[in-house]
């Protein structure tokens, strides 16, 4: 949490300075972040060594386990953490030049190294737990070397110098980045406590049911975040150049590309969800119950999917405080409302998941588009067209693929996948001509 408060804003500040040709300022941010991370790594090293040395007294170690093995495991885990802190600033290069594929390449290389080290260690030597930590260290080192190489190639003039270290830069980054940590707290209150509340207030079975029902919505949500992230550097660069017209065009394209992709799994879950859960859980759970809970879990995405990139607007305009407070506020209201409903009604699991959906929809309908428009100084209704377009897209796809669910007896995985492929092609065609403009169609074709 402490590290992220500093580093989450680093990409934004350095990228903007680079594209405003303020090289000295960019180097001051770059050097300040690097040396602050080194300082934090040194500070964290002491409690880390304390935990490694006295881990047998801190945790209960099973008699069958080797204390030395567990100490080595924690040593490598902490070493991996410290290396990742020190080298994190080098990932800014691929972001600032909108070359995120390079960042992905370094991640892939790191994961291949992790896989190789684990395979060799466990296949060729006596198995120990610390191999996992050792593999993580090797992976992080490879990613760091790759990111350092990309930094030298993409930002050849960027230098790290102790004389460029500025405490004022650190405070500026931390004071804004801390609000991202507050946002995470709000998200935890909104979504992350559902299973815990279900376990405490309803039953362990309810916790299991809610956990299963969130699996597909989480996959959709993660995909949505990945797609939105692709457009973040472009938005930051356009903002740095003070080109509002280009920034709004990027947001519009990003929203339509997001709708083009994300509306399909949302619509498919809506139409085929009950069949899917029936095949997945069989008789161990109630498919209808899981289907309803999954729709409640995905309900917020009906609105938020089409405006997901607007959250980055708050970051680049340095207006994260209000957004964080609204998310925390809605999170607190969510938890409070859930406890009231559980005490006064028989809604049970539906109250836990449904309340999160209601507050999520209200926030994304009322606050997010309006405040983003305020931050960018555009008309208040600028982003509501994208929300409407997203709803239209989901509705049309549901209508197009509903006959497959109504007239075909989907009684196995092969049939479901076969129907999904055919219906998916039709859904893509619908979105291609209804959602995308000429420029986005060309983007997709390329």
């Amino acid at each position: 949490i402490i590290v992220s408060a500093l580093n989450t804003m680093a990409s934004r500040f350095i990228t903007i300075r680079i594209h405003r040709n303020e090289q000295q300022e960019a180097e001051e941010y770059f050097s300040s972040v690097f040396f602050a991370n080194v300082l934090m790594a040194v500070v964290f090293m002491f409690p880390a060594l304390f935990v490694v040395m006295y881990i047998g007294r801190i945790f209960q170690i099973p008699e069958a386990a080797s204390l030395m093995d567990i100490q080595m495991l924690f040593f490598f885990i902490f070493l991996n953490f410290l290396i990742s802190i020190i080298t994190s600033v080098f990932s800014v290069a691929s972001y600032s030049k909108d070359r995120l594929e390079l960042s992905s390449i370094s991640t892939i290389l790191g994961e291949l190294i992790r896989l190789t080290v684990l395979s060799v260690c466990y296949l060729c030597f006596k198995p120990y737990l610390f191999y996992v930590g050792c593999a993580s260290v090797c992976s992080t080192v490879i990613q760091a070397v790759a990111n350092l190489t990309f930094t030298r190639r993409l930002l050849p003039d960027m230098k790290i110098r102790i004389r460029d270290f500025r405490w004022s830069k650190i405070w500026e980054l931390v004071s804004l980045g801390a609000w991202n940590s507050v946002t995470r707290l709000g998200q935890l209150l909104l979504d992350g406590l559902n299973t815990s509340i279900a376990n405490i207030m309803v039953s362990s079975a309810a916790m299991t049911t809610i956990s299963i029902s969130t699996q597909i919505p989480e996959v959709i949500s993660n995909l949505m975040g990945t797609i939105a992230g692709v457009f973040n550097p472009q938005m930051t660069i356009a903002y740095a150049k003070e080109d509002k017209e280009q920034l709004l065009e990027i947001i519009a394209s990003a929203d339509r590309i997001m709708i083009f992709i994300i509306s399909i799994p949302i619509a498919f879950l809506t139409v085929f969800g009950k069949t899917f859960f029936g095949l997945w859980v069989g008789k161990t759970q109630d498919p209808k119950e899981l289907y309803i809970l999954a729709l409640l879990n995905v309900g917020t995405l009906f609105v938020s999917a089409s405006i997901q990139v607007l959250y980055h607007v708050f970051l680049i305009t340095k207006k994260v405080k209000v957004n964080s407070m609204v998310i925390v506020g809605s999170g607190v209201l969510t938890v409070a409302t859930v406890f009231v409903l559980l005490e006064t009604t028989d809604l049970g699991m539906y109250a836990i998941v449904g309340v999160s959906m209601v507050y999520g929809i209200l926030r994304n309908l009322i606050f997010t588009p309006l405040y983003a428009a305020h931050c960018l100084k555009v008309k208040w209704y600028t982003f509501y067209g994208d929300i409407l377009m997203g709803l239209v897209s989901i509705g049309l796809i549901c209508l197009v693929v509903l006959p497959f669910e109504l007239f075909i007896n989907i009684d196995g995985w092969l049939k479901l996948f076969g129907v999904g492929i055919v219906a998916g092609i039709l859904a893509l065609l619908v979105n291609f001509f209804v959602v995308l403009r000429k420029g986005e169609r060309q983007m997709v074709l390329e």
Side-chain angles (χ1 to χ4, degrees):
I1 293 172
I2 296 169
V3 171
S4 67
L6 171 65
N7 287 275
T8 51
M9 299 299 289
S11 295
R12 182 260 181 210
F13 278 87
I14 295 171
T15 299
I16 286 179
R17 298 305 176 187
I18 288 172
H19 289 276
R20 287 180 179 173
N21 295 317
E22 298 172 354
Q23 183 65 23
Q24 180 59 32
E25 283 279 303
E27 290 187 6
E28 287 180 5
Y29 280 111
F30 198 86
S31 296
S32 298
V33 170
F34 175 79
F35 287 113
N37 283 334
V38 170
L39 180 61
M40 282 194 290
V42 171
V43 171
F44 292 144
M45 181 177 65
F46 293 102
L49 290 174
F50 177 84
V51 171
V52 170
M53 291 173 62
Y54 296 100
I55 196 165
R57 300 182 183 180
I58 298 172
F59 296 109
Q60 296 182 36
I61 307 298
E63 292 182 5
S66 166
L67 177 60
M68 179 63 73
D69 184 20
I70 294 174
Q71 285 179 316
M72 290 290 290
L73 171 65
F74 271 78
F75 170 77
F76 281 116
I77 288 173
F78 283 127
L79 180 61
N80 180 64
F81 175 57
L82 299 179
I83 294 171
S84 65
I85 292 175
I86 293 170
T87 60
S88 64
V89 73
F90 297 117
S91 64
V92 171
S94 56
Y95 182 97
S96 65
K97 294 297 184 179
D98 192 21
R99 295 292 305 276
L100 293 183
E101 81 282 1
L102 297 177
S103 177
S104 297
I105 288 170
S106 71
T107 302
I108 292 168
L109 287 173
E111 293 306 316
L112 288 174
I113 292 296
R114 186 200 305 274
L115 176 64
T116 303
V117 172
L118 285 175
S119 300
V120 170
C121 288
Y122 280 114
L123 290 173
C124 301
F125 303 101
K126 181 182 177 180
Y128 287 104
L129 282 173
F130 76 82
Y131 294 160
V132 176
C134 184
S136 295
V137 171
C138 295
S139 173
T140 299
V141 168
I142 290 298
Q143 291 183 59
V145 171
N147 286 331
L148 180 58
T149 303
F150 298 147
T151 299
R152 288 176 174 174
R153 184 189 305 172
L154 298 175
L155 302 175
D157 298 328
M158 189 67 69
K159 307 296 181 184
I160 294 177
R161 291 184 289 254
I162 190 67
R163 69 170 184 266
D164 287 332
F165 179 84
R166 300 287 186 276
W167 281 111
S168 60
K169 305 296 186 190
I170 299 302
W171 174 247
E172 186 178 12
L173 291 169
V174 170
S175 60
L176 283 170
W179 287 105
N180 284 329
S181 300
V182 174
T183 301
R184 289 186 182 185
L185 170 63
Q187 287 298 145
L188 178 67
L189 292 171
L190 278 169
D191 306 313
L193 296 181
N194 285 350
T195 52
S196 300
I197 294 173
N199 180 283
I200 295 168
M201 300 290 290
V202 185
S203 67
S204 59
M207 180 187 75
T208 302
T209 302
I210 289 179
S211 179
I212 294 172
S213 72
T214 61
Q215 298 301 306
I216 303 305
E218 281 183 3
V219 171
I220 298 173
S221 183
N222 290 337
L223 175 63
M224 185 172 71
T226 301
I227 298 168
V230 172
F231 293 91
N232 289 349
Q234 300 172 33
M235 293 170 61
T236 306
I237 292 168
Y239 181 80
K241 294 178 178 178
E242 299 181 348
D243 190 340
K244 183 188 288 189
E245 186 176 340
Q246 184 188 13
L247 175 58
L248 292 173
E249 181 60 31
I250 292 169
I251 292 173
S253 287
D255 285 345
R256 288 176 182 268
I257 292 293
M258 184 74 74
I259 296 166
F260 173 73
I261 298 173
I262 296 299
S263 65
I264 296 175
I266 292 175
F268 275 34
L269 180 62
T270 305
V271 175
F272 300 114
K274 189 176 178 182
T275 300
F276 169 80
F277 283 113
L279 292 172
W280 186 21
V281 300
K283 297 179 180 179
T284 60
Q285 295 277 341
D286 182 354
K288 183 179 179 181
E289 189 175 61
L290 286 171
Y291 171 59
I292 294 171
L293 289 170
L295 282 185
L296 292 174
N297 270 303
V298 86
T300 304
L301 303 188
F302 278 78
V303 176
S304 66
S306 53
I307 55 170
Q308 185 68 20
V309 296
L310 294 185
Y311 288 104
H312 193 62
V313 169
F314 306 141
L315 190 147
I316 61 175
T317 57
K318 298 199 296 185
K319 300 292 179 63
V320 292
K321 180 178 178 180
V322 175
N323 178 58
S324 298
M325 292 173 67
V326 168
I327 290 179
V328 170
S330 57
V332 171
L333 283 173
T334 297
V335 173
T337 306
V338 165
F339 276 113
V340 170
L341 290 177
L342 289 177
E343 290 290 340
T344 58
T345 70
D346 297 322
L347 291 173
M349 294 181 295
Y350 301 114
I352 295 171
V353 181
V355 170
S356 295
M357 181 197 71
V358 170
Y359 281 116
I361 289 175
L362 289 174
R363 192 182 75 254
N364 284 287
L365 267 180
I366 299 172
F367 170 75
T368 305
L370 290 175
Y371 191 58
H374 169 75
C375 292
L376 294 174
K377 295 180 173 58
V378 295
K379 289 182 169 52
W380 65 269
Y381 53 80
T382 299
F383 303 113
Y384 279 98
D386 293 332
I387 295 176
L388 181 61
M389 177 62 72
L391 294 173
V392 168
S393 172
I394 294 170
L396 283 175
I397 293 172
C398 286
L399 290 175
V400 168
V401 304
L402 186 59
F404 290 94
E405 171 69 13
L406 294 177
F407 301 117
I408 298 176
N409 180 29
I410 305 174
D411 54 5
W413 288 109
L414 285 178
K415 274 191 178 180
L416 181 63
F417 280 115
V419 166
I421 290 169
V422 176
I425 293 170
L426 291 176
L428 282 170
L429 289 173
V430 168
N431 273 353
F432 188 80
F433 291 105
V434 173
V435 175
L436 302 183
R437 301 171 299 182
K438 184 179 179 180
E440 287 95 36
R441 289 174 193 163
Q442 190 64 33
M443 191 188 302
V444 169
L445 290 174
E446 289 175 355

